[in-house]
Structure formats: structure tokens, C-alpha cells
Amino acid sequence: MTRLTRYVTAELLPPLLAGTLLFTAILSFGYFFISSQWLSGVPVGLIARWIGYQMPDTLVKVFPMAVVLMTVVAFGRMSTERELVAVQGGGISLGRIARPAAVVALLVTALSVWLSLWVAPRANVETRGLYWDALTGAGLSQLVGKTVDLGNNLTLSMQGYDAAKRELRGVRVQKWQPDGEARGTVILAERGTFENNRLSLSGYSTFVVDYGAVAALTRIPENDPAAFRAAVQDVFPSVIVPEKATDTLNVDTGLSRKQTLAQYADAIGADAQGWPELITKLTAPGVSAADRADARVNLNRKLALPFANLVLVLAALPFALRFGRTLGVSLGIALMIAVAYYLLFFVGLTVAGLIPDFPEAGVWLANVLFAGAGLWQLRRT
């Protein structure tokens, strides 16, 4: 039995590796082609580094396709050459023969979970930071005119950005008190820089504003200037204007520069939430219901796709036994199964948004249906 396991495993690994390389190359070329207009004159090493940062997220996406190809090619060949018939004639069940495929798929699943929840989110942040700061040189210019949430109750907006100096122009920073929406701090600055998790502002003025006290201004008699000054003082309990224009104010941010680029620079933010961030959203107090529901969907999505590697072995095996006659046919069947799975997976994500009380049902829909279809087909084989 050990010899049979080694033999089947040796049949599985080459198409798995070939499929992984093939589909990874296709997706990587797509990334390069879409961004090629920005890559003129960029050093090859920098481009290779940028593509390398995308590998963890790419592998999570291509592993299910590679696993399907592995199953169809390996078992299709053994079925065509009657090797499976010979082994089964010796009293060995199909389930026992397919056990190495399940083990390989389980290992790929474990690797995918690790990549999806711990490696890919960090790499995605590095990808966006490298793209906007090094490859395109645009830096934070994509954020001009936007109001972005930097965490720690901070919001940032700016009127301009000098990419050559990496300098923000016309900066407004707002920080609202967590215990009430009516009181906050507003910082206006002529210039600033944003590096790592720190905003450094110059030519600034700081105003603590209590909007809850504004209404009292309307109730003050016109002939009582002292009361009016006191009411204004209540509205602006603190105003700081530095004596020197060269003085700098440093503000610590929740999001780093790279995280801010990853979340706000593109029309679709990078997938930068891993296990720590998702668990914090699910368990920490004070998280809004919408953010908690979004975290549930994201966590299940990051688990469901890796577990598709196991499900698709089960779903692809009946097709391999029936139709896996040649390499070309096997490749076509593998692509058909993979495309059908991904289409149903995206449909499930849409369904998850329609059932906020139980989004897991939509996220895992494709896995459940493909597993059920695979078992049903195997019983008929």
C-alpha cells in the first residue's frame, strides 16, 4: 500500500506544480499588462519585487485551479490506461486510491489558509505602497480632494501633493472625541509629510472646537460683550498658534502611509485584513454592526477559498474518471470546473450580502454544492 501511495503521489505532483506555475504566470502577466503604462523606465528588479509581493494573494487564487488540474490529469491518465481498473481488481477501493490526492489537497489547504490570513494581507499593503511610491512616483497624490480615515479617530484631507518632495499641501486633520461627536480637534497646516505612522505638520494652527456650545451664542444679549466672549471661549476652549512658522507638530496615526495607500489610493482597496484585524473587529467592544458583519464575511471568505482545494478534488474526480482521456481534454475540463466554481463562489458572496444574519451560508455555498455534486457523481461512477 505504501508503494501505491508513492506511485499516486508521484502522478499528482507534476500537474499540481505545472498548473500552479501556469496559472500564476497568467495572472502575473495580467497584473503587468494592466500596469505597463506606468512601468516605462522602471528597473527590472523593482518590477520583479512588485510582482513578488503579489505572489501570496495570487497563489491563494490559483491553487484551486491547480488542484483541479492535478486531479483530472493524474486520475484521467490512470483511468485511460486501465491502471485504476487493475488496482481495483486487486481489491483496493477507489477511496483508498484517491487518499493521496486528499492528503495533497489538505496540505495545499493549510498553506492557503496561512497565506490568506497572515501573509497575503501584509504583502498586499507592501504591493500598493511600492506601486504608488516607487513604480509610479505618484505617492499620495491619489488622495488629494478626499477625506480619509487614518484610524485613532483621525481624518485627513489635503488640497495638493508634491510628489518630488513627498509633501502634503493645504492639510486639514480632524480628531473627534470618542465620548461625543460634538467636540473635536481641527488642525490646519500649510504643509506636511506622512511617513510610516506619523504626520509631521508645519505652518499649523490647532483648534479644539465644542460644537455643542455653539447654540449658546444665539441666546446671549447683544449688550453683554463679556458673556459673548465667555461663550466663544466655550466654543473654542483651546487655540494653539505656534510662535515660529518652522515649528512642527507630530501626529501619530492608526494607519501607516502604506496602509493608507492600500486602502484609499485605488478605486478598490487592497485586501489588507488578516487574522488579527478580523478577530479584533469580531470581538472588540465598540465595533459597529456593519463593520462586524463585514469582518464575518471576510473571515469566512478567506477560509472558504482555501478549503475549495479539498472540495474540488472531490468534485473533479468523477470528471477525471469519465472524460480525462488526453492532456488537452483534461485541461479543458479543469478550466471548466474551476470557472464554474469561481462563478458560484462570487454568486455566494453576493448572496451573503443579502442575508446579514447568516452570511456564512452564502460564502460557503459553492463549497457545499460542489462537495454534494462530487459525492453524487462518485456514487454513480
Side-chain angles (χ1 to χ4, degrees):
M1 297 300 288
T2 303
R3 182 178 298 178
L4 176 62
T5 298
R6 288 200 301 265
Y7 178 79
V8 175
T9 302
E11 291 290 322
L12 295 169
L13 294 182
L16 174 65
L17 296 176
T20 301
L21 291 174
L22 172 64
F23 297 127
T24 299
I26 292 173
L27 285 185
S28 297
F29 176 77
Y31 299 145
F32 177 82
F33 181 79
I34 292 173
S35 303
S36 59
Q37 60 177 324
W38 299 101
L39 303 181
S40 177
V42 177
V44 175
L46 197 59
I47 296 176
R49 182 181 166 195
W50 172 63
I51 293 177
Y53 278 137
Q54 299 177 70
M55 284 301 101
D57 189 63
T58 300
L59 287 174
V60 174
K61 293 180 173 68
V62 306
F63 273 148
M65 295 186 285
V67 165
V68 172
L69 183 64
M70 169 194 79
T71 305
V72 175
V73 170
F75 284 91
R77 191 202 67 78
M78 289 188 288
S79 177
T80 300
E81 297 185 8
R82 314 297 292 178
E83 293 179 4
L84 293 180
V85 174
V87 174
Q88 288 177 294
I92 300 176
S93 67
L94 178 62
R96 177 62 185 84
I97 301 171
R99 191 176 299 172
V103 172
V104 171
L106 182 61
L107 293 175
V108 174
T109 297
L111 176 60
S112 294
V113 169
W114 177 64
L115 291 174
S116 181
L117 287 173
W118 281 277
V119 181
R122 306 292 179 266
N124 289 341
V125 170
E126 294 293 333
T127 299
R128 292 299 199 276
L130 183 65
Y131 181 78
W132 289 110
D133 272 339
L135 270 67
T136 70
L140 298 172
S141 60
Q142 295 296 109
L143 307 184
V144 173
K146 299 180 180 178
T147 298
V148 297
D149 186 351
L150 299 182
N152 290 349
N153 295 316
L154 286 175
T155 60
L156 166 71
S157 62
M158 56 183 166
Q159 297 176 352
Y161 179 75
D162 187 334
K165 297 181 179 179
R166 293 169 68 97
E167 189 175 75
L168 291 65
R169 301 288 176 84
V171 184
R172 184 179 73 242
V173 177
Q174 295 175 307
K175 182 172 183 178
W176 302 101
Q177 299 297 327
D179 56 349
E181 298 181 357
R183 187 182 178 93
T185 301
V186 179
I187 305 172
L188 304 178
E190 297 176 2
R191 300 172 305 279
T193 59
F194 185 12
E195 302 294 342
N196 300 319
N197 288 76
R198 174 165 292 183
L199 279 169
S200 296
L201 306 175
S202 57
Y204 70 91
S205 300
T206 302
F207 307 88
V208 176
V209 185
D210 186 352
Y211 290 95
V214 172
L217 292 173
T218 63
R219 298 191 294 268
I220 299 174
E222 296 181 2
N223 58 354
D224 193 347
F228 182 78
R229 285 195 297 270
V232 170
Q233 183 67 41
D234 291 337
V235 175
F236 297 97
S238 175
V239 177
I240 300 175
V241 179
E243 295 181 0
K244 300 179 181 178
T246 56
D247 288 349
T248 300
L249 174 66
N250 293 320
V251 181
D252 292 330
T253 62
L255 294 182
S256 68
R257 178 189 177 97
K258 292 179 180 178
Q259 289 172 323
T260 303
L261 286 169
Q263 186 166 339
Y264 297 109
D266 295 337
I268 300 176
D271 187 358
Q273 291 186 328
W275 177 264
E277 295 82 6
L278 293 172
I279 291 300
T280 297
K281 281 191 173 183
L282 289 172
T283 59
V287 178
S288 67
D291 287 343
R292 206 178 295 276
D294 184 64
R296 285 176 64 185
V297 172
N298 280 335
L299 179 59
N300 280 275
R301 175 178 59 83
K302 288 175 175 288
L303 290 172
L305 191 56
F307 274 91
N309 295 291
L310 275 172
V311 170
L312 289 174
V313 167
L314 184 62
L317 188 55
F319 288 91
L321 300 178
R322 292 185 180 184
F323 306 109
R325 299 291 182 260
T326 64
L327 180 60
V329 173
S330 297
L331 181 58
I333 293 172
L335 288 174
M336 178 190 70
I337 296 172
V339 169
Y341 173 83
Y342 276 107
L343 287 175
L344 187 57
F345 182 74
F346 291 129
V347 169
L349 292 179
T350 302
V351 172
L354 302 177
I355 46 176
D357 293 334
F358 189 42
E360 293 82 0
V363 178
W364 290 87
L365 176 66
N367 286 12
V368 172
L369 292 182
F370 268 72
L375 289 172
W376 179 66
Q377 288 288 339
L378 282 174
R379 289 182 179 180
R380 297 181 59 194
T381 302

